[in-house]
Every structure is written in structure tokens, then in C-alpha cells.
Amino acid sequence: MRTDKIPRILVTMGEPAGIGPELIVKIAQQQIAAQIIVVADEKLLISTARALNLDLTLQQINWQQPAQVHRPGHLAIIPIELPEKVEAGKLNKRNATATLQTLKIASDLALQSKVDAIVTAPVHKANLNTVDPSFLGHTEYFANLAGVNKVVMMLAGNELRVTLATTHLPLAKVPEAITQASLSETIQVILQAFDQFNLKQPKLAVCGLNPHAGEEGLLGHEDQQTIQPVIQRFAQQGHAVFGPFPADTLFTPQKRKAYDVFLAMYHDQGLPVIKAFGFGECANITLGLPYIRTSVDHGTALEIAADYCASADSLLYAINYAGKLATGVLPS
Ligand SMILES: NC(=O)C1=CN([C@@H]2O[C@H](COP(=O)(O)OP(=O)(O)OC[C@H]3O[C@@H](n4cnc5c(N)ncnc54)[C@H](O)[C@@H]3O)[C@@H](O)[C@H]2O)C=CC1
Ligand SMILES: NCC(=O)COP(=O)(O)O
């Protein structure tokens, strides 16, 4: 990481027909204790600023200059050109390659330590999948480009932190994806990441997979046969890893206070809980990458993109979260 005090944060534009460009123009108006560099189509940002009646001045990034703290209404930019004019709310496959290119640029710059963190605006996974059939989401894409086998998705808000044992996977494939080896790797990545963020022995509560964590085998065997032995091994090594707990009662107020981080077995076991607490006051963090990457807690919201009424709260939250992590502070 660079040693001067102002973090350089790279923000990718996301799906051009979604709310990403609007969110970027909106956060550009805010005070932010970092330098913000966007990878985006200049014309799209300028026309979005006009539609929002907001001031925006774009200047190409000069890497020779030291990082300068963000000035409201101004953005440093790495320009990319979309081949087709964007119609807000209407996906256009012909812009997908250039959109994917913004992520490749971001990954390259982060891997070269030219920026301290990447923050992504939301992409449309199916649209990007049309030009890269291996594309499932930023999480997997960045891991692949970084040559990292295992990363873990964490969503963190003011109320709790939730990590996931599996991410973008059909529900029917979840049980077979949770093996003792994969779960051990997941927990290892979480413990290492928290160690780097200076929370040395996080109290980790692990959800069961089945209702009532399997009810002694009556409602499934994975909890006892796969999850429990892994937790026991970590506990024997002195780690504060507990469970498997029935997920339905694990997020009560008392239990939320008792643990630093929760591990859900699948996407829709953990994420609805944290989003219900504060949609917009939450960031998505990829643990296990060789750099910091955060993102919003929502998607492309195509249906409201032409109305310019989207909330930029989560993008701002994700940027501030990345800024804190870049200066070695884990937000509480
Ligand atoms: N980080 C990323 O790149 C993510 C991308 N997605 C992608 O987004 C696409 C749409 O996903 P959906 O499940 O429909 O979720 P979504 O988050 O786009 O929309 C869900 C609901 O929340 C509203 N909403 C979302 N963000 C909002 C904001 N900032 N302000 C006000 N209202 C907002 C939408 O209008 C909609 O009613 C999918 O292709 C999905 O893969 C979804 C989650 C994360
Ligand atoms: N629901 C969270 C999500 O889908 C985020 O995906 P990613 O693009 O950040 O991997």
C-alpha cells in the first residue's frame, strides 16, 4: 500500500444503463476523505450530471501527482468509451465488453498497487455473462484475475457483519459445494482477513445449513457430518468459532451483540438479514483479495434508472468503508 495519508479509491461505473452513473455523479458532490478516481465513459457521466442538474468537472488522472483529497463536484477519471449511446434502464449487450473492461482496468491498477482500493458500482451479471460466459459477479471475477483460489463475500453494516460460505450458486448446488475442505478454507480466509484488519480473534458464529441445524439428523445430515467437525477443529486450535447454530434464531438482538461476524451457508440465508437492517447502510467487502474491494449492497435497479431517484447512500458507505480499511481501520 502507498504510504501517504490520502487513500486512492478507484470507482467503477457499473452497468451503464443502470443507476451506477447516477450514483457516481451524486457521490461526487460529497466530502470524502480520499482521492476518488472513476473508470467510466465521460460523456455518460456529463449527460447524467446534466439530467440531475448537478455540477461535474472531470479531469484525467495524472499518476505523477500525489493523491489529492476529493473536491466536491470534481472527479479524476480514467476514460473508457462505450460504443453505443446509453438509454437509462435499457440493457445493451453491445456495451457489455467495455463495461467488463472497467473491471479489468481496476483489477490491474489494484494489483500494481497504484490504487489503495476498488469500489464497484453494480453490474448486470447476466449482461456481462453474454460477453464472458465465466462471469458470475465481481467477487469471482476479481479473485480469478488475482489468481486467488478462495475469497469470501462479506456484507457489513452498522448492526452486523455477515460472510457467506457460497455466493452465486443455484440453491440446489449449495449442499454439495459445502465440504469440510471448502468450509475450512472459508473460515481461514475470514480469520486471516480480520487478523489483517486488526481484529485478532473475531468471535465467529456459523449457521447450520438445514432447519434447526439438522435437528440431530432428522432434518439433514450436513450440519453434523460436515459443518460441526470443521468448527470443532478451529475451536481446538484456539479460535473463537462457534456453531453450527439454527440460522432462524441466530440474528436476534442478543446474539448479534455476542459475535463479531456471522457465517451463512448461502447467499439468501445471510444477506436478507443484513439488508433488512439497513438497505443502503451496508457495504459488500471481498475478503481474501490482495487488495481492498468494496461495493454497494444493491443491484442495477434498471427500473428506476431513467427516473434519477436512486439513493447513493450505499455507494458512499462502501467508499468510506474502503477508505477506512485502506488506512488500517476496520469499521465497527
Ligand atoms: N454489486 C453488484 O454488482 C450487484 C449486482 N446485482 C445485479 O443487479 C441486477 C438487478 O438485481 P435485483 O435483484 O433486481 O436487485 P436491485 O438491488 O437492483 O433492486 C432491488 C430493489 O431495490 C431498489 N433499489 C436498488 N438499489 C436502489 C438504490 N440505490 N436506490 C433506490 N432503490 C434501489 C430497486 O429499484 C428494486 O426495487 C441483477 O443483474 C443482479 O445480478 C445485484 C446485487 C449486487
Ligand atoms: N448480492 C450481492 C452480490 O450479488 C454482489 O456480487 P458481486 O458482483 O459483488 O460479486
Side-chain angles (χ1 to χ4, degrees), residues 58-109:
L58 300 173
Q59 187 163 31
Q60 279 210 28
I61 178 73
N62 178 349
W63 297 107
Q64 313 313 322
Q65 284 183 354
Q68 290 166 354
V69 79
H70 175 68
R71 272 196 301 154
H74 296 251
L75 285 172
I77 187 164
I78 299 169
I80 58 109
E81 210 169 318
L82 293 167
E84 301 252 331
K85 191 169 172 357
V86 174
E87 214 180 316
K90 298 236 162 75
L91 286 178
N92 185 340
K93 283 181 194 163
R94 286 185 289 274
N95 282 333
T97 300
T99 305
L100 198 58
Q101 185 64 16
T102 64
L103 306 188
K104 176 74 170 66
I105 292 169
S107 164
D108 287 348
L109 290 169

Side-chain angles (χ1 to χ4, degrees), residues 16 47 60 76 90 101 104 119 127 174 202 211 226 234 239 282 309:
S47 64
Q60 279 210 28
K90 298 236 162 75
Q101 185 64 16
K104 176 74 170 66
V119 179
N127 204 36
V174 166
T226 309
F234 277 96
H239 296 290
C282 185
C309 62

Side-chain angles (χ1 to χ4, degrees), residues 7 92 153 235 279 287 308:
N92 185 340
M153 188 187 290
F279 196 39
L287 307 179
Y308 299 102

